[in-house]
Amino acid sequence: MKKSAAVLLMAAILALFALALQGSEDPYAYARGRAPAGNLWVLARAIHAEARGEPYVGQVAVGAVIINRVESGKFPKTISGVIYQPGAFTAVMDGQINMAPNQTSVRAARDALNGWDPSNGALYYFNPVKATSRWIWSRPVIKRIGKHIFLR
Amino acid sequence: MPPLLGLTLALSLLWGYGQFKARQDLETRLDLQYQQAFYSLNWHMESLQNETAKILASNSPERFHDSSGIIWREANSASDSIGQLPLRAGSMAKTGNFLTQTSAFTNFIADRKISTGKISNSQWQTMNKIHNKIKSINTELKKIQSNLGDNSTNWRTLESAIARSTDQIPQSVLYKSFDGIEKQMDKNKILDFAEQFPDPMVTPKHLTGTKISRAQALRIARNFLEPSQLKNKVVRNNGQGNGTIATFGVEAVDRSVRGRGKIHLDISKRGGNVLWMLNERPVGAVSLSKDKVEARARQFLKRHGYESMALTSTVPYDGVTIFSFVYSQDNVLIYPDMIKLAVARDNGEVTQFDAGNYLVFHHDRTLPKPKVSFSQARAKLNPHLVVEQEKLSLILNEERKETFCYEFRGRVGNENVVVFINAETGNEEFIQTVTKPSENSLRTGTFPQEIQW
């Protein structure tokens, strides 16, 4: 009785160990070469949090909105300042930004940093199905990409 | 049984109380952070009021120079502090803009004072208006300070009021006070520097041609793409855009597998130019050399009618290479007229294209003759700079004016830099540090110069 219990316990510990190894995915695995530092990483996280279900062009557009805000002079002047501005992005506020980004989000962040802007200069965006505030509808609309409407 | 139940109840209550205390603790800490941001804002705004007063009173270029540096720093910090308050993002946009333009304007008159010894009366008046506006903001902030503290006007109630609210103005005394400051920005427009300090979002002045129809947009998209890209694809309208350049959207999608292999294009309504194109297909393994890929990029530009383009930047990553080309006129690089494209290194296809800068800035120019010679310009350089290449180029300076320059690419210490010397005045106009291709640079917004290394 004691011996089989010990074996069972060992098996259980090994199984847990194997499970733990699987769960600890290296988030930097998606970066080619050295881990990307600074702006790229936080931008990729924000894109992943906000737009991971969206078409690729929509993800780049979300990144572009963040960068447009940085350059506009009307918002915080750093990428992290824009992303972490209280209340600015719901998926940041509820902690989804803590998820590891996937390869697509990193690519989208790179493209946004290199100047691609499918939103044609937007400073705001929202999902009309999820949005509860009426005030955002008052801003001039630029276009729609996937689930998001982009505004000036 | 009852004792066990009683024990469970007591333990639960204990746990509940522990949770309550922990939450209160966190709430306090969060509230403290917002308080700090608010008081920082007060500090920086008072600093600004002080420094702008000094500029109004001073007659010395050194004072202008020192104060403009302090004003820049304090305006930046004030802007940062606003960004840490739990207000709606963008609800203080005009105030943020005012702070940005205050720094820019102060810098501008400091330059004038240093180079000419004086500023005009209207410039002094503008500075005075800026100072008074800052003073009125400070008065409002002090009122807010004295109202803070009781239960209806603290930062956490502000935050929940905003989160709950669907209206333009949430029900919060604190919010209304800040909104009051923001609305004051519209009254007596002080800084109207459309010519000198334009909104970073550019308005295209050179987009010419007739307005096209949706059907024409589809045709233009079909002609733009390669036959191989169009195989098995349906080309259809995809809405329109009212951004900086008004556009028709077009997409090419797989006929059989819907949603796969999308190619997006935005085509300008005026003139029917392709503003940008993005092919979402995944890129395969690298099989083409760098030279072959560069050749494909050049062929692409020629085929689409972009003549006389010079390569200024090459950035390889993730199986594509991004090229920046600028218009070259009489051997002068015209940086504002820039086109970017990405070429996939698996089959040489151009997967991304962006002609936004070119469409906005390109126009017929007569280039002036340089008033300063190459050797005179070289003599102005820092002796530590090791020059490796020199050219003539046209860039946008800090006031968004087209400036004719000598560009010297070289090394200083461990950095690669490009120094632009004004070809008419000999002044050092602009310096750009060059990032190596493996790092990622923020696009250069108001200075669309991207330099190759």
Side-chain angles (χ1 to χ4, degrees):
Chain A
M1 185 65 177
K2 284 251 160 77
K3 201 167 177 192
S4 51
V7 171
L8 224 66
L9 192 62
M10 282 282 282
I13 290 175
L14 278 170
L16 273 168
F17 195 54
L19 226 75
L21 274 180
Q22 275 217 351
S24 63
E25 208 180 49
D26 179 9
Y28 289 91
Y30 290 121
R32 304 284 170 87
R34 9 188 287 269
N39 297 322
L40 174 65
W41 201 232
V42 70
L43 187 61
R45 280 178 176 274
I47 291 175
H48 187 67
E50 284 277 310
R52 60 185 174 281
E54 291 296 298
Y56 181 70
V57 78
Q59 294 188 356
V60 180
V62 162
V65 164
I66 291 172
I67 294 179
N68 288 341
R69 284 191 178 185
V70 172
E71 293 179 347
S72 70
K74 302 183 173 108
F75 287 86
K77 294 188 172 69
T78 62
I79 287 185
S80 55
V82 164
I83 289 174
Y84 290 107
Q85 187 174 18
F89 298 101
T90 45
V92 172
M93 290 290 108
D94 66 18
Q96 288 183 68
I97 194 166
N98 291 325
M99 295 188 312
N102 61 16
Q103 200 167 20
T104 321
S105 314
V106 176
R107 253 183 75 210
R110 277 200 159 117
D111 276 345
L113 280 171
N114 280 309
W116 308 100
D117 184 1
S119 78
N120 294 354
L123 287 176
Y124 300 85
Y125 65 87
F126 75 107
N127 182 336
V129 167
K130 287 202 199 143
T132 48
S133 331
R134 267 176 272 140
W135 64 270
I136 193 138
W137 291 96
S138 65
R139 304 209 63 94
V141 173
I142 296 183
K143 56 155 58 173
R144 182 180 189 131
I145 303 179
K147 294 200 202 87
H148 290 127
I149 296 184
F150 289 83
L151 316 140
R152 236 193 290 249
Chain B
M1 254 340 163
L4 196 63
L5 224 58
L7 186 67
T8 315
L9 187 63
L11 283 173
S12 307
L13 284 172
L14 213 65
W15 176 84
Y17 182 69
Q19 288 292 299
F20 172 71
K21 285 297 281 178
R23 188 203 145 119
Q24 257 200 339
D25 199 37
L26 283 173
E27 291 254 353
T28 306
R29 263 192 251 178
L30 185 59
D31 187 61
L32 288 173
Q33 285 199 321
Y34 293 144
Q35 283 184 38
Q36 184 187 24
F38 175 68
Y39 290 117
S40 281
L41 175 62
N42 274 263
W43 174 282
H44 297 303
M45 291 305 295
E46 280 200 47
S47 224
L48 276 176
Q49 183 177 327
N50 206 31
E51 286 305 319
T52 48
K54 286 188 195 167
I55 286 207
L56 288 173
S58 164
N59 197 23
S60 118
E62 286 81 20
R63 165 55 48 204
F64 269 70
H65 171 264
D66 290 345
S67 286
S68 87
I70 295 174
I71 286 173
W72 193 287
R73 192 186 68 214
E74 296 295 324
N76 237 29
S77 301
S79 204
D80 271 348
S81 300
I82 292 178
Q84 285 168 27
L85 292 172
L87 301 164
R88 263 199 198 125
S91 61
M92 298 295 280
K94 293 197 192 105
T95 310
N97 203 35
F98 169 70
L99 290 169
T100 307
Q101 290 190 313
T102 297
S103 320
F105 182 71
T106 311
N107 211 45
F108 172 68
I109 60 170
D111 279 347
R112 283 288 173 282
K113 186 75 177 176
I114 290 169
S115 55
T116 68
K118 57 180 166 58
I119 61 172
S120 75
N121 186 45
S122 70
Q123 285 165 351
W124 188 94
Q125 293 295 343
T126 307
M127 198 68 214
N128 196 26
K129 287 196 199 127
I130 292 175
H131 171 79
N132 288 334
K133 178 67 88 188
I134 293 174
K135 207 164 174 186
S136 72
I137 295 177
N138 275 324
T139 313
E140 282 307 310
L141 288 175
K142 288 206 175 59
K143 278 199 204 129
I144 296 176
Q145 269 195 52
S146 56
N147 284 335
L148 272 177
D150 73 22
N151 275 329
S152 67
T153 51
N154 69 37
W155 297 103
R156 293 293 289 140
T157 54
L158 167 67
E159 212 170 11
S160 33
I162 292 178
R164 273 197 320 262
S165 166
T166 58
D167 297 322
Q168 188 88 29
I169 316 271
Q171 287 304 314
S172 157
V173 172
L174 207 48
Y175 191 93
K176 290 200 175 83
S177 307
F178 279 101
D179 193 54
I181 292 178
E182 177 77 350
K183 290 219 163 58
Q184 282 292 319
M185 289 296 141
D186 281 331
K187 302 223 172 109
N188 39 42
K189 263 225 166 76
I190 302 171
L191 295 167
D192 217 352
F193 297 123
E195 284 309 304
Q196 286 163 316
F197 300 106
D199 197 315
M201 297 293 156
V202 184
T203 18
K205 291 202 209 67
H206 308 297
L207 216 55
T208 52
T210 48
K211 288 191 87 170
I212 61 165
S213 67
R214 270 188 210 272
Q216 282 173 302
L218 285 178
R219 242 175 286 139
I220 290 167
R222 273 207 192 86
N223 285 334
F224 191 80
L225 298 172
E226 303 292 311
S228 57
Q229 289 176 307
L230 287 170
K231 210 159 39 155
N232 282 330
K233 287 215 170 69
V234 170
V235 178
R236 58 187 191 199
N237 285 119
N238 186 24
Q240 52 182 345
N242 289 321
T244 316
I245 296 179
T247 56
F248 282 122
V250 177
E251 60 179 16
V253 257
D254 250 7
R255 212 181 278 275
S256 44
V257 185
R258 237 173 39 107
R260 199 176 64 179
K262 273 207 193 130
I263 304 181
H264 301 265
L265 300 100
D266 262 7
I267 297 171
S268 70
K269 282 188 186 171
R270 184 166 288 285
N273 305 99
V274 174
L275 177 63
W276 60 266
M277 180 265 290
L278 176 68
N279 185 345
E280 284 186 4
R281 75 166 176 88
V283 176
V286 170
S287 75
L288 293 175
S289 71
K290 282 197 278 189
D291 292 332
K292 280 223 176 72
V293 177
E294 186 183 313
R296 293 288 180 110
R298 290 181 191 279
Q299 285 163 14
F300 184 88
L301 288 175
K302 273 225 163 63
R303 191 159 53 235
H304 293 285
Y306 290 103
E307 294 289 341
S308 190
M309 303 296 291
L311 179 65
T312 58
S313 162
T314 312
V315 179
Y317 69 67
D318 273 4
V320 302
T321 303
I322 302 201
F323 296 98
S324 297
F325 285 88
V326 304
Y327 184 64
S328 171
Q329 181 176 333
D330 303 330
N331 257 327
V332 178
L333 297 177
I334 314 283
Y335 280 98
D337 303 358
M338 174 180 288
I339 294 186
K340 300 221 301 257
L341 31 79
V343 181
R345 290 185 66 181
D346 56 1
N347 70 357
E349 179 191 324
V350 173
T351 52
Q352 286 170 253
F353 173 82
D354 185 337
N357 281 350
Y358 188 94
L359 291 177
V360 167
F361 290 109
H362 182 65
H363 62 284
D364 289 327
R365 298 177 175 89
T366 24
L367 295 173
K369 277 208 149 20
K371 292 206 186 82
V372 167
S373 72
F374 245 120
S375 50
Q376 283 172 315
R378 232 179 273 121
K380 294 265 186 172
L381 295 172
N382 185 312
H384 294 281
L385 178 69
V386 176
V387 177
E388 294 173 11
Q389 278 184 59
E390 43 195 40
K391 294 190 170 92
L392 273 171
S393 58
L394 187 106
I395 63 170
L396 291 180
N397 71 0
E398 275 158 31
E399 292 160 32
R400 279 292 186 86
K401 284 206 181 71
E402 296 199 346
T403 315
F404 193 38
C405 292
Y406 288 106
E407 81 172 53
F408 296 96
R409 300 183 184 185
R411 258 178 305 116
V412 61
N414 276 327
E415 289 289 330
N416 298 323
V417 294
V418 186
V419 178
F420 292 90
I421 305 275
N422 192 317
E424 294 177 46
T425 64
N427 293 329
E428 190 181 277
E429 198 60 53
F430 187 63
I431 297 185
Q432 176 138 12
T433 53
V434 180
T435 52
K436 299 195 263 303
S438 63
E439 289 160 29
N440 291 280
S441 55
L442 185 63
R443 74 176 163 172
T444 44
T446 48
F447 307 102
Q449 273 93 245
E450 280 185 75
I451 312 294
Q452 162 154 38
W453 197 259

